[in-house]
Structure formats: C-alpha cells, structure tokens
C-alpha cells in the first residue's frame, strides 16, 4: 500500500481497478492532491521487494501504462512522490458476539473486511451511530437494557453482507490465473453493453443497503429503512441537511395535508420523555408560509425540493413516520394506530411503567 502526493487530478479522479492478472492493483484519490495505491504481493515475492522505491515506481508506471494516453490519471502519474508505504494483510472475519455484559465491540474490533468495497471505516461509523444514542437514552431516561440488545441484531447482518460483498469484489478484481481473468473480462465486456447493468455496477447499487429487519423496530413496511438525507428548507428560510434539523432526536414526520388533525396528539408523557420533535413536510414554500400561520409553533416545517422525502408517502399518503435518533424509521402507521404504537413503544422501552 502506497500513498503518493502532488496529483493535480485528485479532486475529480475516479477509483481505478487494474485487473491485470500479473499484478492486480487499485488506486483511489485522496484529499490534498493525494492518491492511494494498492498492489498485490505475488506468492514468490517478499515484502521488502515491493517496498523498494524503484519497485513502487515501476508498479505504478506499469499500471498507468494500461490507461489511455489521454487519461488524467496517467498524466498525473508522471511524477511520483511517495509519502508512505507499507505491506498489510487483509482479513474477512466477524465476531460471534458484539457484546459481553457492559463491553461492546465496534468497528474493526467486531468485524474485519477486505478493503475493496471501501466499507471498513464506514461500517465502524455505522456501528457507533447505532449504539451511542441507545447508551445515552438508557443513561438519561432509564430505558430497558433490551434496547442495547438491538445493537447486534441490527448491525451484525449488515456487516456480514458487507464482508461477503467486499470479499466477492476482491475475487473479481484479483484473479492471477489468466484463464479466469479472461472469463471475467468477457463477462464485463457483456455487462458494458447493457446500460442498466453498467449503471448498477458503476454506481455501486450492488452494495448491500443498510436496512434493518430485526431490532428496535415497530410496525409498517418502511420500518428499518434509513431516511434519505436531502437538503431541506426550514421555516426561517435556512437550507440545511435533514439530519441537522433532526438533531439526534426521535421525530414524527407528517405530510402537510394531515398535520392539522394530529398536531396535538403527541403531548403525552411518553413523547415528552423521548423529547419527540414533530416535523411537517410542506409541498411548497407557499404551503409552508400558510402552515406557519395556522399550526402550533412547536411543529418544525420543512420543504424538500429534491422530492426524496415525499417519495416515502407515494403509496401511503396518510401515514405518519416515527423515526429514531439515528434517522432510521421506527414505525410507519396511520393516525388511528397511534395508541397501539404508544403501547408497543412503552412495552419495549419502559416495560415497568
Ligand atoms: C490499507 C487499508 C485501506 C482501507 N481503505 C478503506 C476505505 O477506503 N474505506 C473504509 O471505509 N475503510 C477502509 N479501511 C478500513 C479502515 O481503515 C478501518 O476499518 C478503520 O480504521 C477501523 O477503525 P476502528 O476505529 O474500528 O479501528 P482502528 O482504526 O484500528 O483504531 C483502533 C485504535 O485503538 C488503538 N488501540 C488498540 N489497542 C489499544 C489499547 N489496548 N489501548 C488503547 N488504545 C488501543 C489503536 O492504536 C488504534 O488507534 C482500510 C484499511 C486499510 C488497512
């Protein structure tokens, strides 16, 4: 693994996989004009063979030679300044349990995966984002410790998928047998001909989505899904990413048309205890101004010009969405089911009430 600097193209450069069976490699743009290179050590090579500066320059030049002469990456690679170099072995492994009493495993301590999917750090961040608010809620509101059990229930299936995904990508990129590499190349040439398949691969839609099927979830088809993250406009005209408005709180989202009938139905002790925030999605700026005049001040009004949030109501325009502090949908329900949702939530979080 080599980090190089002084690449003018690094801000816009793509990730490039060099699927050369003689020396599989990958290069990834890094901040501040940097680039990371990873080269596979062959069975008959020693670590020190590849850590020699001249060998590194040779590997980089060999890889770049396979790109078209006009490629910005090839031009940017003409002068090579090595910043850091090391040899590492990657693993695909998963802890059988993420928790022992008061100790939790997160990140690489819980799971190790090959780097091809670029998901090692991301998975660790998802772990932390999943667990931290649960520990805080337990400490502040004395919720049932059962909430902490949901950490492994929710995170382990997704990291398992990510490990398989990263290992499969590695198996595609790294064959060193020429026949296998030829088969792979033929398959990719066919895929290139199909626009949807090409997009599916190029935009990494093949990557497993972080959807939860079990854990701290109540009811509704979309429960367990992560909210989108559009830029929204708030009542005071500020443009901000949705999660900044959510501020790590439980929220209930309603469409503008339904807001008036449920505005005062979230005043009970349970909702106060969870510091619930009510968010009303308005279709236009004019509707937001109208809502400002007619709805209680504690309701946060937003407009999402991108339409991403509105799509959640496409098939169920009457539903309310209850979301968790980590922006996952806890329940999708009709206002007539509110008492049942309150009961489920109380039994899960505060079973002794
Ligand atoms: C070459 C390479 C490329 C990668 N590329 C990507 C990528 O593109 N995208 C991506 O998402 N991930 C990538 N990863 C994975 C990513 O780097 C790791 O998943 C991530 O750093 C794990 O974070 P962590 O905090 O769980 O563990 P670590 O980063 O290992 O942090 C653990 C820390 O704990 C410290 N520590 C250990 N023992 C003790 C102790 N007893 N007391 C106190 N401190 C201790 C260690 O010194 C270390 O600082 C890559 C990894 C490698 C090696």
């Amino acid at each position: 693994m080599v980090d190089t600097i002084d690449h003018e193209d690094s801000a816009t450069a793509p990730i490039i996989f060099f699927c050369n069976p003689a020396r599989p490699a990958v290069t990834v743009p890094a901040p501040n004009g940097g680039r990371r290179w990873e080269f596979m050590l062959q069975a008959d090579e020693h670590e020190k063979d590849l850590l020699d500066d001249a060998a590194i320059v040779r590997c980089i030049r060999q890889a770049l030679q396979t790109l078209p002469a006009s490629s910005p990456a090839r031009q940017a690679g003409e002068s090579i300044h090595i910043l850091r170099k090391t040899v590492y072995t990657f693993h695909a492994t998963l802890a059988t349990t993420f928790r022992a009493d008061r100790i939790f495993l997160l990140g690489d301590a819980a799971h190790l995966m090959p780097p091809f999917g670029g998901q090692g750090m991301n998975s660790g961040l998802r772990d932390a984002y999943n667990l931290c608010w649960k520990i805080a809620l337990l400490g502040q509101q004395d919720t049932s410790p059962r909430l902490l059990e949901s950490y492994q229930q929710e995170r382990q299936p997704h990291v398992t998928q990510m490990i398989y995904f990263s290992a499969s990508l590695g198996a595609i990129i790294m064959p060193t047998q020429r026949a296998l590499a030829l088969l792979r190349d033929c398959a990719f040439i066919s895929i290139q001909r199909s626009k949807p398949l090409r997009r599916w691969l190029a935009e990494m839609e093949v990557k497993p989505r972080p959807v939860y099927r079990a854990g701290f979830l109540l009811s509704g088809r979309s429960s367990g899904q992560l909210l989108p993250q559009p830029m929204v406009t708030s009542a005071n005209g500020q443009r901000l990413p949705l999660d900044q408005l959510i501020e790590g709180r439980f929220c209930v989202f309603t469409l503008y048309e339904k807001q008036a009938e449920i505005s005062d139905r979230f005043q009970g002790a349970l909702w106060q205890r969870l510091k619930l925030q009510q968010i009303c999605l308005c279709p236009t700026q004019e509707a937001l101004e109208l809502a400002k005049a007619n709805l209680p001040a504690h309701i946060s009004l937003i407009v999402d010009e991108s339409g991403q949030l509105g799509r959640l109501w496409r098939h169920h325009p009457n539903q309310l969405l209850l979301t968790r502090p980590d922006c996952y949908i806890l329940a999708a329900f009709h206002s007539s089911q509110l008492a049942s949702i309150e009961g489920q939530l109380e039994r899960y979080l505060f079973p002794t009430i």
Side-chain angles (χ1 to χ4, degrees):
M1 191 213 77
V2 182
D3 286 330
T4 54
I5 48 165
D6 296 341
H7 299 284
E8 282 170 15
D9 69 325
S10 73
T12 52
I15 297 173
I16 304 172
F17 291 105
F18 300 92
C19 300
N20 173 6
R23 176 80 72 198
V26 58
T27 179
V28 182
N32 306 320
R35 231 172 209 295
R36 169 155 296 178
W37 299 85
E38 291 171 25
F39 298 97
M40 185 178 175
L41 194 70
Q42 305 288 18
D44 57 351
E45 287 175 326
H46 293 286
E47 294 189 6
K48 64 174 175 26
D49 297 336
L50 220 59
L51 286 176
D52 174 55
D53 279 4
I56 291 172
V57 170
R58 215 169 29 248
C59 283
I60 294 178
R61 294 241 155 94
Q62 266 169 7
L64 290 174
Q65 288 297 318
T66 62
L67 298 177
S70 58
S71 149
R74 183 162 165 179
Q75 287 162 9
E78 270 161 21
S79 57
I80 296 164
H81 297 117
I82 298 168
L83 199 64
R84 177 171 164 248
K85 53 190 179 177
T86 184
V87 171
Y88 76 98
T89 308
F90 54 76
H91 304 271
T93 184
L94 180 70
T96 47
T97 175
F98 285 14
R99 179 184 180 186
D101 195 17
R102 292 163 67 89
I103 299 167
F104 291 85
L105 297 182
L106 289 82
D108 279 16
H111 40 76
L112 286 169
M113 59 189 78
F116 303 102
Q119 291 299 307
M121 177 79 164
N122 289 327
S123 298
L125 289 174
R126 287 182 201 280
D127 293 345
Y129 205 53
N130 181 292
L131 181 62
C132 290
W133 68 268
K134 294 175 181 172
I135 294 176
L137 193 67
L138 184 88
Q140 289 160 7
Q141 296 296 339
D142 200 19
T143 57
S144 159
R146 183 182 170 198
L147 182 61
L148 299 181
E149 287 166 21
S150 68
Y151 164 60
Q152 179 168 350
Q153 289 173 326
E154 292 169 359
R155 289 297 306 138
Q156 198 178 38
H158 187 243
V159 287
T160 307
Q161 288 178 330
M162 279 301 186
I163 291 171
Y164 279 115
F165 168 71
S166 301
S168 309
L169 267 185
I172 293 171
I173 294 158
M174 288 194 306
T176 48
Q177 294 142 294
R178 289 191 177 276
L180 207 58
L182 188 67
L183 257 178
R184 177 222 31 224
D185 294 347
C186 292
F188 270 79
I189 289 166
S190 315
I191 288 171
Q192 288 286 348
R193 297 215 173 99
S194 156
K195 237 182 175 178
L197 264 181
R198 200 173 58 206
R199 202 186 49 231
W200 186 63
L201 274 182
E203 290 176 16
M204 280 279 197
E205 284 175 32
V206 51
K207 196 164 62 184
R209 290 185 186 278
V211 176
Y212 299 153
R213 307 258 175 242
F216 176 43
L217 304 170
L218 301 180
S219 59
R221 223 169 48 99
S222 47
S223 99
Q225 276 183 35
L226 186 59
L227 282 177
Q229 168 73 323
M231 290 295 289
V232 295
T233 308
S234 68
N236 60 11
Q238 197 189 352
R239 296 260 302 150
L240 71 174
L242 180 63
D243 68 354
Q244 267 184 34
L245 186 100
I246 288 175
E247 286 182 319
R249 290 166 62 180
F250 284 92
C251 294
V252 63
F253 285 79
T254 327
L255 282 191
Y256 166 77
E257 295 79 4
K258 293 282 150 196
Q259 184 63 54
E261 64 187 74
I262 56 112
S263 289
D264 56 356
R265 299 196 45 201
F266 290 92
Q267 307 299 325
L270 173 71
W271 303 116
Q272 301 283 338
R273 198 167 176 185
L274 294 179
K275 300 188 173 69
L276 183 84
Q277 181 179 197
Q278 287 191 60
I279 299 180
C280 169
L281 179 62
C282 304
T284 59
Q285 203 59 43
E286 295 75 54
L288 185 144
E289 293 304 325
L290 209 62
K292 224 161 133 178
N294 294 319
L295 291 175
H298 68 267
I299 295 171
S300 304
L301 306 169
I302 54 167
V303 178
D304 166 25
E305 285 93 359
S306 77
Q308 293 176 64
L309 261 180
R311 279 199 276 280
L312 291 167
W313 278 268
R314 196 166 38 193
H315 301 299
H316 305 279
N318 293 328
Q319 73 180 350
L320 311 182
L321 290 183
L322 179 62
T323 61
R324 319 188 315 184
D326 58 359
C327 303
Y328 270 84
I329 298 173
L330 179 59
F333 59 103
H334 190 267
S335 57
S336 62
Q337 297 166 300
L338 183 57
S340 153
I341 292 292
E342 284 175 342
Q344 289 177 52
L345 204 50
E346 257 166 8
R347 280 192 296 281
Y348 194 106
L349 292 178
F350 309 109
T352 50
I353 289 179

